[in-house]
Amino acid sequence: MAAELSPVDPAGRVRASFDQQSIMVLLGAKLDLVEPGRVDIVLPYRADLCQQNGFLHAGISTTIADSAGGYAAYTLFSPGEDVLTSEFKMNFLAPAKGDRFIASGRVVKPGKRLSVCQVEMHAYDHEQATLCVIGLLTAVRVTPR
């Protein structure tokens, strides 16, 4: 059963929505930080999510970065609104190798309909962080019809 959405608690609404994303369950990703305009998602290392060289697959990196950016925007939306991604551009800076990965989304420019977010994904080898992905994401505020 889906978690009930809180009308007044943005972090609660983000957590309830995140819990409905079966792709995040499949990947084993978890919400970490949820603040107004910022969300972090943690993904533990799993060999089955890696490409042929043992690095986290680019598709997985962009999936968690996309969700982090979208939910960062969603923290600023009103109850009853939802979020979709309309565009993202990712730059891969280093191979993603580590024991865990953290995708961070931060709202750079909130808007009435579109919000622009910066997203990053770091690979952590114990406590040593490597910035692997950086990008921009445009999130769309979706209102019920």
Side-chain angles (χ1 to χ4, degrees):
M1 175 170 257
E4 189 154 330
L5 298 179
S6 168
V8 294
D9 175 22
R13 287 188 291 115
V14 166
R15 292 185 189 287
S17 179
F18 187 89
D19 289 346
Q20 294 176 39
Q21 282 205 11
S22 55
I23 187 65
M24 292 297 131
V25 173
L26 178 68
L27 296 177
K30 304 283 185 203
L31 279 174
D32 187 29
L33 177 74
V34 180
E35 296 177 345
R38 177 144 182 225
V39 166
D40 289 354
I41 296 173
V42 178
L43 177 68
Y45 170 83
R46 283 184 23 203
D48 62 329
L49 299 178
C50 293
Q51 46 85 288
Q52 71 279 6
N53 297 305
F55 306 129
L56 186 67
H57 192 282
I60 305 301
S61 299
T62 57
T63 297
I64 62 173
D66 169 51
S67 285
Y71 279 122
Y74 187 62
T75 64
L76 303 178
F77 294 176
S78 297
E81 296 176 327
D82 211 340
V83 64
L84 293 172
T85 299
S86 68
E87 173 182 47
F88 66 72
K89 159 83 167 88
M90 304 290 177
N91 289 309
F92 296 87
L93 306 177
K97 188 164 183 72
D99 52 73
R100 71 189 183 289
F101 309 94
I102 299 179
S104 301
R106 179 180 58 85
V107 176
V108 175
K109 173 73 169 78
K112 289 182 181 180
R113 178 107 171 116
L114 301 176
S115 294
V116 176
C117 304
Q118 180 175 324
V119 295
E120 297 180 354
M121 198 279 299
H122 288 81
Y124 284 80
D125 183 11
H126 302 286
E127 295 308 312
Q128 179 67 38
T130 301
L131 177 61
C132 299
V133 178
I134 191 165
L136 285 176
L137 176 140
T138 304
V140 179
R141 183 185 312 253
V142 179
T143 54
R145 293 181 184 232

